[in-house]
């Protein structure tokens, strides 16, 4: 186990919300081995009380003993729009996946999952959750069709009104805006935004596109069936 686990210079803080002791212990152990500050809570209500500004990412099981994980996700998203939320659950029905994403989750992994894939997604979410240090350059601000995207501040304005975007919604919009007027393939979006080359079900991507459309307005994002998406200029 790395020495950093016991020192003061810890990595990002991750909250594991999982009622299964064995699964929780394994997750915390693996996260610690990667240099993260991992904390475990076994139920939903204590988890809501445990969320502080220091927590950057949540790994959330849906089958909790007190309240449903979907409700926990919804409350977390309302309290912390910037928080990265990854659902880890045995629920694999399409309706459950859509419900989790609609509740505000950034990602959804079905148990049993592969640890390398989980860690890759954790790294991707944390990488995009923390802005890079240094001054923003003019290229960090994009203006496309009435939408202003400040990459350094991770803020988006449409017609002078600030939009509230989940972390992955921001990443997806920033990618589409950087290629405005051109098609971005589904493969590239999954690779650049979700840090994976896996091309099975992409319900997560589809749901994020639907949510972005509702916030940007009809006609903002076009679908090229079987290919990808284009942000219209």
């Amino acid at each position: 186990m790395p020495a950093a686990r016991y020192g003061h210079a810890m990595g990002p803080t991750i909250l594991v919300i999982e009622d299964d002791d064995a699964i929780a212990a394994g997750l915390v152990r693996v996260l610690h081995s990667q240099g993260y500050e991992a904390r475990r809570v076994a139920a939903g209500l204590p988890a809501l009380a445990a969320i502080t500004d220091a927590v950057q990412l949540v790994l959330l099981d849906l089958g909790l003993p007190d309240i449903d994980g979907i409700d926990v996700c919804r409350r977390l998203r309302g309290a912390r729009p910037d928080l990265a939320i990854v659902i880890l659950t045995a629920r694999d029905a399409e309706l459950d996946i859509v419900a989790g994403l609609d509740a505000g989750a950034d990602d959804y992994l079905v148990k049993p999952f592969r640890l390398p894939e989980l860690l890759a997604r954790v790294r991707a979410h944390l990488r995009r959750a923390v802005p890079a240090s240094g001054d923003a350059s003019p290229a960090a601000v994009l203006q496309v069709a009435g939408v202003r995207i400040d990459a350094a501040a991770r803020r988006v304005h449409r017609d002078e009104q600030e939009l509230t975007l989940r972390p992955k919604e921001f990443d997806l919009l920033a990618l589409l805006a950087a290629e405005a007027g051109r098609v971005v393939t589904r493969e590239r979006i999954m690779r650049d935004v979700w840090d994976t080359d896996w091309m099975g079900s992409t319900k997560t991507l589809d749901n994020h596109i639907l949510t972005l459309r509702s916030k940007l307005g009809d006609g903002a994002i076009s679908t090229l069936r079987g290919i990808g998406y284009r942000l219209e200029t």
Side-chain angles (χ1 to χ4, degrees):
M1 199 70 67
R5 176 178 176 179
Y6 303 103
H8 296 291
M10 295 299 300
T13 297
I14 298 173
L15 185 66
V16 177
I17 308 174
E18 169 64 64
D19 67 325
D20 186 297
D21 292 338
I23 293 176
L27 286 173
V28 169
R29 183 169 59 252
V30 168
L31 292 170
H32 278 165
S33 75
Q34 300 298 307
Y36 300 117
E37 173 64 32
R39 306 171 185 170
R40 183 262 181 131
V41 180
L45 293 176
L48 294 172
I51 288 294
T52 66
D53 290 342
V55 177
Q56 296 179 33
L57 184 142
V58 166
L59 299 179
L60 172 63
D61 180 34
L62 295 185
L64 299 173
D66 51 355
I67 59 175
D68 190 75
I70 294 292
D71 191 29
V72 175
C73 183
R74 188 175 294 109
R75 295 194 201 183
L76 288 175
R77 177 57 65 217
R80 287 279 305 278
D82 62 319
L83 183 66
I85 304 173
V86 178
I87 289 177
L88 306 178
T89 182
R91 300 182 191 175
D92 59 356
E94 183 174 324
L95 288 177
D96 289 320
I97 297 172
V98 171
L101 297 172
D102 280 345
D106 296 294
D107 218 338
Y108 195 108
L109 282 178
V110 176
K111 300 174 182 175
F113 47 82
R114 295 176 301 145
L115 280 176
E117 181 180 4
L118 171 62
L119 292 174
R121 296 198 185 196
V122 166
R123 289 192 298 270
H125 285 288
L126 290 174
R127 198 161 53 235
R128 292 173 173 88
V130 181
S133 60
D135 295 333
S137 63
V141 179
L142 295 174
Q143 187 93 27
V144 181
V147 179
R148 183 176 184 272
I149 304 167
D150 187 333
R154 294 184 68 85
R155 301 177 71 178
V156 176
H157 289 79
R158 175 175 179 255
D159 299 329
E160 303 306 319
Q161 179 181 2
E162 184 166 2
L163 303 180
T164 300
L165 300 184
R166 291 178 282 165
K168 286 302 180 187
E169 289 173 358
F170 180 91
D171 297 334
L172 176 55
L173 177 59
L175 175 59
L176 294 175
E179 302 289 346
R182 296 187 290 269
V183 178
V184 183
T185 65
R186 296 173 70 90
E187 291 85 355
R188 181 182 173 190
I189 293 173
M190 293 302 295
R191 183 179 66 248
D192 290 3
V193 177
W194 276 273
D195 203 29
T196 178
D197 291 323
W198 180 64
M199 282 308 298
S201 173
T202 52
K203 290 296 182 182
T204 298
L205 168 57
D206 298 336
N207 188 271
H208 278 68
I209 288 289
L210 288 174
T211 305
L212 273 181
R213 282 179 172 146
S214 71
K215 295 178 180 180
L216 299 177
D218 292 338
I221 301 175
S222 296
T223 299
L224 282 83
R225 191 173 301 276
I227 301 174
Y229 299 96
R230 179 178 61 230
L231 182 65
E232 301 296 349
T233 57

